[in-house]
Amino acid sequence: MNILGSIRAVAGPSARSCSRRLCDPGPSRWTVPAALAGSSRAPFYASRSSLVSHRTFCSSTVTDYSPTAVARLPRWVNNAKPGSTPDQQSTDATQAKKDVRLDSAEDGQSPPPASAPPSTPPSSSSSSGDGSDNADPPPPPPPDNPPPPQTSISKQSVPEIYPQVLALPIARRPLFPGFYKAVVIRNPEVVAAIKEMMRRGQPYLGAFLLKDENVDSDIITDINSVHPVGVFAQITSVFTAASNKEDEKEEGLTAVLYPHRRIRITELVKGGQAAKVEAVESTPAESPVPESEGQLPTPPPEREGPPMTMQTSFLEKYAVSVVNVDNLATQPYNKDDQHIRAFMSEIVSVFKDIAQLNPLFRDQIANFSINQVASNVFDEPDKLADFAAAVSTGDPNELQDVLESLIVKDRLSKALLVLKKELINAQLQSKLARDVDSKIAKRQREYYLMEQLKNIKKELGMESDGKDKLIEKFKERAAALKMPEAVRKVFDEELNKLMHLEPAASEANVTRNYLEWLTQIPWGRHSPENYSISHAQKVLDEDHYGLKDVKDRILEFLAVGKLRGTVEGKIICLVGPPGVGKTSIGKSIARALNRQFFRFSVGGLTDVAEIKGHRRTYVGALPGKIIQALRRVGTENPLVLIDEVDKIGRGHNGDPASALLEMLDPEQNTAFLDHYMDVPVDLSRVLFVCTANMLDTIPAPLLDRMEVLEVSGYVSEEKAQIASKYLGPQAKEAAGLKEADVQLEPSAIDILIKYYCRESGVRNLKKHIDKIYRKAALKIVQDLGEEVFPEPAPAPAPEATAADTNKSEEETVKAASTVEKQDAPPDTPDAPETTTPHKSAEEKDDKERVVTTVERKPMKVPDTIHVRISPENLKDYVGPRVYHKDRLYVHPPPAGVSTGLGYLGNGSGAVMPIEALSMPGKGNLQLTGKLGEVIRESAQIALSWVKCHAYELGITKTPDEVFLTDRDIHVHMPEGSIGKEGPSAGTALLSAFVSLFTKTKISPDIAMTGEISLVGMVLPVGGLKEKILAAHRAGIKTIIAPADNRPDIEENVPESVKTGIRFVYVENVHEILHEVFRGEPVAERWKDTLPLEQS
């Protein structure tokens, strides 16, 4: 059972050895008992160098010579030694109580000299103690007469029965018999009592573990605050404890305790009160003054409760805790019991395992084993259990259970449990240390091997170092490019700089990145262009329907390029409402020209660096978008589409719109200078195509450099063709119905265009067609059910796949794997912090989700399924109509109502009625219907013209009659939620005012558009194609338009839209009024007052 026999030292039976081990926080100074004084002091100080580094210690074992029969008796019985004088007795006791103090260098205090007096004066103790009431302590020896040398040492024995002791509570971990423990005592009453006990030669107390780990007290006020089982301990040495606070007046004491046996509290005889600092000023806790010779001790005051014994009666005057105790003896056991031997073997085995993992633990075992000279602790089960608990750092309650166990088998079991936990902790620490060491060793090994591999390859000429390889790569790239002379010069300079820089330098990384960009710009590399007109016509017709003007302009552009051999200096800007295909036109142009395509959006862009790049001095600097585009496409003649150029922003980092000038100006972009590249880059071969929704927000200098192509909206016939040829097949395939017999009838498409999608573009139409085919797919699946469209079997787990099928390992890994489930939290009414969702057993077990990389195959719809979407069932797919009717007034409206044509913000036209009413008031004009500022001004102009010509219009009887001084006018344009803006409503507003004041109705089949001036001139407006399309849809028969818009209407509006509509072109308001009120009585008078010849 002796596992450390090789390191144990053999000592004589009369030798005394002391060993202290680092375990719990303890004092920085400690004392050597009197047994080590004298001849033992020199070797003790010789070993001070190895002990001074251990600031804390908790346990030790003392093995002394066998005491004499007299020394075995209690201290208060041994009154004198045979054959010695009282002076010799006093001298022996004084010599036995002397302490040698060692101060650690860490305390910041110099060690006291060897002759320094101990903490307790030698004259305050006596070998006779206080066994007799008449015995006075002997006087101290005179300083000039040193005591005679001793020939023998009287050894103090430990009393076997000590029924009443001072109770000292211990925090954090209990004490075990045979193991030293240093405790710090701060209570002045307890300090004074311990000094008095040392002076009287009764250095014994009871140490009990506090139940509350957070409480640290030196007295016991409640017997339930400590565990009942503790140890009977001897105070081997005391010394003053250093105070952490400079202003702390209380005197601390550090006492080294040596437990001898287990005891149990039977009764709390005296519960002390905690001393307070305030009480120290009036009655400081000092050591009691020794009684002078010839005087009896002062009797203690009367106290309620159990009486105190004679041995502890002197503690009556101290506010300390005194308890009655009983000794606890270990129950008899058979050392050869099979269970006990098994426990001992396992504990020894765990000791070996921990010792291999924890060097500090190994040193503790070795020191303890060396001190066991009289007996082998590994052969004594009870001591082995105590040793296992004393050296471990287990839970205080578990250690207390070991202390309270009197049955050896139970004690061994509990100690083994504590030791097993210590082993697990040591294994974890060892594993962490091994992991860290292995990582470091692996990296070092890899580094050494890589360096050796580099040197070997370099010696064999197989490979040069990384920098040489990098420089060679840059040289190869540059040789394949057609760099300009200025760029070549910069490249050589930067390459030369990189050759002389260390790879680890930060400048080397910056230079390397710059050379990467410089050699990846396609200097002189371009893609062969295709200027074939027939090829371009075919591509444009495949991608777009209609847009004749745009296609003709693109073909003209290609014809010029075919003759010149280049298309330099052309920047095209496509302007139109959303959804008309501006971006897709740019893609078609790139495909027709066989050019690389790159798109980036500048909508909301506020940083100039996105266009011009960052300077290389910044961390993470990058070139601008155009340089990134050249690197991405790999040619210097791509088609670059700049989207949303009308929505470019402006921030504190500059004006990106101004930065675009250099990039888009044909006179400047031949030498475009990027901040990062800092070399001129030729962008003249790049074909720029910009897109915008409106021209108003584009800066004038930027707009001046572009060639604007207006992409207006589609008419109903064009939308129908686009839906049947492009949008329908795409949506059908996207819904998984490519091979199914699902048809969207042309009549249903017409209803969809007329009552659901009136926008200029086809984006909204595409959304509705997608929705129709998705609904059709849902109905097919729901009607046929899971029998026709079953779910495929779930992918098997990787293990099952490998076992059930003969697939390769690569296919198995590809087939399926698992990941941790991440489901959405349950939507419960209670807060998720306060509720726990109920989970079934299957959900609790199924914590992983199977994932796979195998594509799911589409399912075929049976040929027997036929679906037709007609106008009758269209509502089931897209819901009710959005637009219910095209005209607000089908029958002739009352006087004061006219019909105008407007252009909405979504790019579509609309028929907008204008209503005017008069009422008593003060001549104010009120406008409603979410009208813009321009429309409000048009209404003011129209009203002013009517007031000015009231007599000619027949509203007043004389030219001087005051008009509208007592009447208010209210003008409203229905659909108030839709914003309206623009000058197009001027003619309609004037007609409404004349109708109101002359009380003449206007035909609802007449619509008009045009801006008026203050003198009655009719000015041209825009958006006529969309307005005429809206009038055609509403069934308008007559449209009054400005004469200046006649070429635009005849050229750009399709004949199919103009069919059935009579166009009247006017130049002034006289012509408008004669046309609108044709056949009315008031118009007959206007032939004289407002003749057409005046126009």
Side-chain angles (χ1 to χ4, degrees):
M1 296 297 289
N2 187 1
I3 64 169
L4 296 171
S6 59
I7 59 174
R8 295 184 56 182
V10 179
S14 62
R16 173 188 173 98
S17 60
C18 176
S19 173
R20 295 172 172 84
R21 292 181 301 284
L22 183 62
C23 185
D24 280 346
S28 59
R29 299 181 298 177
W30 49 281
T31 359
V32 176
L36 291 180
S39 61
S40 301
R41 182 175 300 178
F44 178 80
Y45 274 100
S47 63
R48 182 174 182 268
S49 60
S50 63
L51 296 175
V52 71
S53 61
H54 296 280
R55 293 200 44 154
T56 58
F57 57 92
C58 71
S59 57
S60 177
T61 303
V62 178
T63 304
D64 290 323
Y65 51 83
S66 301
T68 60
V70 178
R72 291 184 182 274
L73 298 177
R75 180 62 183 263
W76 55 85
V77 179
N78 299 337
N79 219 10
K81 291 188 296 182
S84 63
T85 63
D87 291 338
Q88 290 175 338
Q89 297 173 13
S90 176
T91 302
D92 294 343
T94 302
Q95 184 69 20
K97 284 188 63 59
K98 273 188 178 181
D99 291 336
V100 180
R101 299 173 51 150
L102 293 177
D103 289 353
S104 174
E106 298 177 2
D107 294 333
Q109 301 175 356
S110 59
S115 60
S119 57
T120 305
S123 59
S124 63
S125 62
S126 173
S127 60
S128 60
D130 55 351
S132 172
D133 294 341
N134 298 328
D136 295 329
D144 53 348
N145 295 329
Q150 294 180 231
T151 57
S152 62
I153 298 178
S154 175
K155 179 66 176 66
Q156 177 179 335
S157 63
V158 178
E160 296 292 340
I161 300 175
Y162 211 95
Q164 198 173 80
V165 293
L166 182 147
L168 183 66
I170 303 297
R172 286 178 287 279
R173 57 182 289 122
L175 276 64
F176 288 90
F179 300 94
Y180 279 99
K181 173 75 174 183
V183 295
V184 179
I185 303 168
R186 295 294 181 187
N187 192 313
E189 293 288 332
V190 180
V191 170
I194 289 178
K195 288 183 178 180
E196 179 66 15
M197 291 165 58
M198 298 293 289
R199 187 185 69 81
R200 291 173 176 267
Q202 300 179 19
Y204 306 111
L205 53 80
F208 303 92
L209 178 66
L210 288 166
K211 293 182 179 179
D212 190 352
E213 299 180 6
N214 301 320
V215 176
D216 191 3
S217 175
D218 293 336
I219 58 175
I220 300 175
T221 57
D222 183 9
I223 194 172
N224 295 322
S225 63
V226 296
H227 291 277
V229 177
V231 292
F232 178 78
Q234 177 183 355
I235 306 174
T236 60
S237 59
V238 295
F239 50 88
T240 304
S243 175
N244 295 329
K245 301 179 181 179
E246 296 180 357
D247 57 346
E248 188 173 321
K249 297 181 180 180
E250 297 181 1
E251 180 185 1
L253 192 70
T254 299
V256 180
L257 307 181
Y258 180 76
H260 288 283
R261 59 179 178 267
R262 289 171 169 80
I263 57 175
R264 183 191 299 275
I265 297 178
T266 59
E267 186 179 14
L268 179 62
V269 178
K270 179 175 179 290
Q273 300 294 331
K276 297 183 179 180
V277 178
E278 290 79 0
V280 176
E281 299 178 359
S282 58
T283 57
E286 299 176 355
S287 300
V289 179
E291 299 97 346
S292 59
E293 296 184 10
Q295 292 182 351
L296 293 176
T298 303
E302 294 295 332
R303 178 184 54 80
E304 297 181 359
M308 298 185 66
T309 60
M310 178 182 64
Q311 293 81 8
T312 57
S313 60
F314 67 93
L315 298 176
E316 187 75 44
K317 57 184 176 180
Y318 299 105
V320 296
S321 305
V322 179
V323 296
N324 290 336
V325 296
D326 290 339
N327 292 341
L328 296 179
T330 303
Q331 295 185 9
Y333 60 91
N334 183 11
K335 188 183 298 185
D336 297 329
D337 182 83
Q338 184 177 1
H339 291 84
I340 292 178
R341 295 187 64 85
F343 276 126
M344 293 177 65
S345 300
E346 183 62 21
I347 290 177
V348 171
S349 176
V350 175
F351 269 134
K352 292 180 181 179
D353 295 339
I354 300 178
Q356 292 176 359
L357 299 174
N358 192 343
L360 182 62
F361 199 86
R362 182 169 58 249
D363 296 340
Q364 291 179 344
I365 298 175
N367 293 337
F368 180 82
S369 178
I370 291 174
N371 294 323
Q372 300 300 317
V373 294
S375 62
N376 185 3
V377 70
F378 298 100
D379 293 335
E380 300 181 12
D382 54 343
K383 292 185 178 180
L384 181 61
D386 290 346
F387 174 54
V391 299
S392 65
T393 57
D395 183 72
N397 293 326
E398 295 179 352
L399 299 179
Q400 180 68 25
D401 290 342
V402 177
L403 182 66
E404 294 179 359
S405 298
L406 301 180
I407 302 175
V408 174
K409 189 181 299 183
D410 294 343
R411 188 186 303 176
L412 287 171
S413 175
K414 295 176 180 178
L416 180 60
L417 176 63
V418 173
L419 210 57
K420 282 285 188 180
K421 292 183 178 180
E422 189 79 16
L423 175 60
I424 294 174
N425 187 29
Q427 289 174 344
L428 180 59
Q429 293 179 357
S430 177
K431 181 180 181 298
L432 295 176
R434 286 197 310 270
D435 292 344
V436 174
D437 293 342
S438 63
K439 290 180 181 179
I440 296 175
K442 182 180 179 181
R443 292 177 183 174
Q444 291 179 345
R445 181 173 177 271
E446 291 177 353
Y447 174 76
Y448 291 142
L449 292 177
M450 289 301 298
E451 290 298 322
Q452 292 177 3
L453 183 61
K454 288 180 182 178
N455 293 333
I456 293 173
K457 289 185 176 181
K458 194 172 182 179
E459 291 294 332
L460 295 176
M462 299 171 59
E463 183 180 328
S464 59
D465 57 4
K467 187 169 72 172
D468 293 342
K469 186 177 180 181
L470 188 64
I471 292 173
E472 187 65 27
K473 180 183 71 172
F474 288 144
K475 287 183 178 180
E476 291 178 359
R477 285 185 184 176
L481 299 174
K482 192 177 180 180
M483 286 185 178
E485 190 61 31
V487 179
R488 177 70 66 176
K489 183 178 179 181
V490 172
F491 171 76
D492 293 338
E493 291 176 357
E494 294 293 329
L495 192 64
N496 186 46
K497 183 197 297 184
L498 182 63
M499 293 173 63
H500 295 85
L501 286 174
E502 289 294 330
S506 59
E507 183 68 19
N509 192 31
V510 174
T511 305
R512 173 185 174 180
N513 290 339
Y514 178 73
L515 289 174
E516 288 277 359
W517 281 100
L518 196 63
T519 56
Q520 289 186 356
I521 294 178
W523 304 101
R525 301 175 62 182
H526 60 275
S527 59
E529 294 175 315
N530 186 358
Y531 292 118
S532 173
I533 302 299
S534 59
H535 172 70
Q537 183 74 49
K538 179 182 177 182
V539 170
L540 293 175
D541 290 340
E542 287 178 357
D543 295 344
H544 297 85
Y545 180 85
L547 302 178
K548 183 176 182 302
D549 296 339
V550 177
K551 292 180 180 179
D552 291 343
R553 181 63 189 88
I554 294 173
L555 294 177
E556 294 169 5
F557 174 77
L558 295 179
V560 173
K562 189 177 186 70
L563 297 177
R564 288 189 57 204
T566 179
V567 290
E568 294 178 2
K570 300 298 179 183
I571 293 93
I572 300 175
C573 181
L574 302 174
V575 180
V580 296
K582 298 184 295 295
T583 303
S584 59
I585 290 174
K587 296 179 181 179
S588 299
I589 296 173
R591 192 159 72 94
L593 290 173
N594 192 30
R595 287 196 178 200
Q596 297 281 76
F597 178 80
F598 184 86
R599 172 195 170 274
F600 70 92
S601 176
V602 294
L605 190 68
T606 59
D607 192 358
V608 175
E610 293 291 333
I611 306 297
K612 299 272 291 181
H614 303 83
R615 301 193 183 276
R616 274 185 287 165
T617 54
Y618 300 144
V619 177
L622 284 175
K625 287 288 187 182
I626 187 62
I627 302 298
Q628 297 179 30
L630 294 178
R631 179 187 180 184
R632 179 77 60 84
V633 300
T635 61
E636 64 176 4
N637 64 336
L639 187 146
V640 176
L641 180 70
I642 305 176
D643 233 343
E644 312 294 350
V645 75
D646 60 326
K647 301 176 182 62
I648 192 168
R650 182 172 183 174
H652 64 279
N653 292 326
D655 185 9
S658 301
L660 282 175
L661 294 176
E662 181 184 357
M663 189 174 73
L664 299 180
D665 191 350
E667 302 298 329
Q668 300 181 40
N669 63 11
T670 55
F672 176 73
L673 194 64
D674 186 89
H675 290 160
Y676 183 87
M677 303 307 302
D678 206 20
V679 293
V681 180
D682 186 8
L683 301 179
S684 61
R685 303 192 66 177
V686 179
L687 178 58
F688 292 100
V689 178
C690 304
T691 67
N693 295 123
M694 59 186 66
L695 300 177
D696 301 339
T697 56
I698 301 177
L702 184 60
L703 186 61
D704 183 59
R705 288 162 171 80
M706 301 177 181
E707 183 176 353
V708 178
L709 297 180
E710 290 191 5
V711 185
S712 58
Y714 300 100
V715 297
S716 299
E717 289 77 7
E718 292 174 337
K719 285 186 176 180
Q721 292 294 329
I722 293 172
S724 60
K725 292 183 178 180
Y726 302 97
L727 304 181
Q730 293 175 4
K732 187 176 180 181
E733 183 177 357
L737 302 173
K738 184 178 181 180
E739 305 296 334
D741 185 13
V742 180
Q743 294 183 4
L744 179 61
E745 297 181 357
S747 56
I749 295 178
D750 292 338
I751 298 296
L752 201 63
I753 294 171
K754 189 174 182 179
Y755 295 104
Y756 292 89
C757 309
R758 290 185 178 179
E759 296 82 6
S760 301
V762 293
R763 186 171 294 153
N764 192 34
L765 180 60
K766 180 179 184 301
K767 294 178 182 177
H768 280 76
I769 293 177
D770 290 342
K771 184 177 182 180
I772 289 173
Y773 281 105
R774 288 198 306 268
K775 287 275 189 180
L778 176 61
K779 288 187 176 182
I780 291 174
V781 173
Q782 287 180 341
D783 293 343
L784 298 181
E786 295 293 334
E787 292 79 10
V788 180
F789 301 104
E791 272 297 299
E799 296 80 1
T801 305
D804 299 340
T805 63
N806 295 326
K807 296 181 180 179
S808 63
E809 183 179 355
E810 181 180 356
E811 292 176 344
T812 302
V813 174
K814 183 180 179 181
S817 59
T818 58
V819 296
E820 183 181 357
K821 266 193 175 182
Q822 295 292 338
D823 292 334
D827 189 9
T828 56
D830 297 332
E833 292 83 0
T834 60
T835 59
T836 302
H838 175 71
K839 292 185 178 180
S840 62
E842 293 79 5
E843 291 176 341
K844 292 180 180 179
D845 296 337
D846 188 14
K847 295 182 179 180
E848 292 184 344
R849 192 182 303 277
V850 176
V851 295
T852 179
T853 57
V854 178
E855 294 292 336
R856 179 166 177 161
K857 296 181 180 180
M859 293 186 178
K860 187 178 183 303
V861 179
D863 297 335
T864 57
I865 300 300
H866 306 284
V867 179
R868 298 291 182 270
I869 296 96
S870 61
E872 290 75 18
N873 61 359
L874 182 63
K875 183 180 178 180
D876 300 335
Y877 292 89
V878 293
R881 294 180 178 182
V882 178
Y883 305 99
H884 299 282
K885 57 184 177 179
D886 296 301
R887 294 192 334 192
L888 185 62
Y889 295 99
V890 180
H891 303 288
V897 177
S898 65
T899 304
L901 297 176
Y903 183 80
L904 301 180
N906 60 1
S908 63
V911 176
M912 296 185 297
I914 298 175
E915 302 171 342
L917 289 176
S918 68
M919 63 202 76
K922 299 180 180 180
N924 297 327
L925 176 63
Q926 184 177 359
L927 302 170
T928 57
K930 202 176 182 182
L931 307 182
E933 188 65 28
V934 178
I935 293 184
R936 291 176 178 273
E937 293 176 355
S938 298
Q940 293 284 354
I941 292 171
L943 184 60
S944 298
W945 190 91
V946 172
K947 285 182 178 181
C948 181
H949 298 83
Y951 177 72
E952 290 84 351
L953 293 171
I955 300 173
T956 60
K957 296 180 180 180
T958 63
D960 299 331
E961 183 180 346
V962 179
F963 176 55
L964 291 180
T965 57
D966 57 348
R967 305 288 293 179
D968 286 345
I969 306 300
H970 186 175
V971 177
H972 175 69
M973 298 180 68
E975 296 191 56
S977 62
I978 300 176
K980 306 166 187 71
E981 180 61 297
S984 302
T987 57
L989 286 166
L990 188 141
S991 301
F993 287 146
V994 174
S995 172
L996 175 66
F997 298 139
T998 61
K999 297 180 176 57
T1000 305
K1001 298 180 180 180
I1002 300 176
S1003 172
D1005 295 333
I1006 299 176
M1008 61 200 79
T1009 182
E1011 180 183 1
I1012 62 171
S1013 66
L1014 197 58
V1015 295
M1017 299 297 294
V1018 179
L1019 306 179
V1021 292
L1024 285 172
K1025 181 180 179 181
E1026 289 76 13
K1027 294 176 182 177
I1028 295 171
L1029 179 62
H1032 175 76
R1033 188 169 55 241
I1036 299 296
K1037 297 177 181 179
T1038 302
I1039 294 178
I1040 301 175
D1044 294 339
N1045 286 118
R1046 185 168 188 167
D1048 186 17
I1049 295 175
E1050 292 178 351
E1051 182 70 22
N1052 296 325
V1053 179
E1055 292 295 331
S1056 60
V1057 176
K1058 294 186 288 185
T1059 302
I1061 299 177
R1062 183 173 67 93
F1063 289 89
V1064 178
Y1065 301 102
V1066 297
E1067 294 182 355
N1068 55 37
V1069 295
H1070 295 178
E1071 298 177 8
I1072 296 174
L1073 295 177
H1074 281 280
E1075 181 63 35
V1076 171
F1077 297 97
R1078 182 186 299 274
E1080 297 294 336
V1082 70
E1084 296 297 328
R1085 183 174 183 268
W1086 291 344
K1087 291 179 180 179
D1088 298 330
T1089 58
L1090 296 174
L1092 296 176
E1093 289 77 17
Q1094 293 181 0
S1095 62

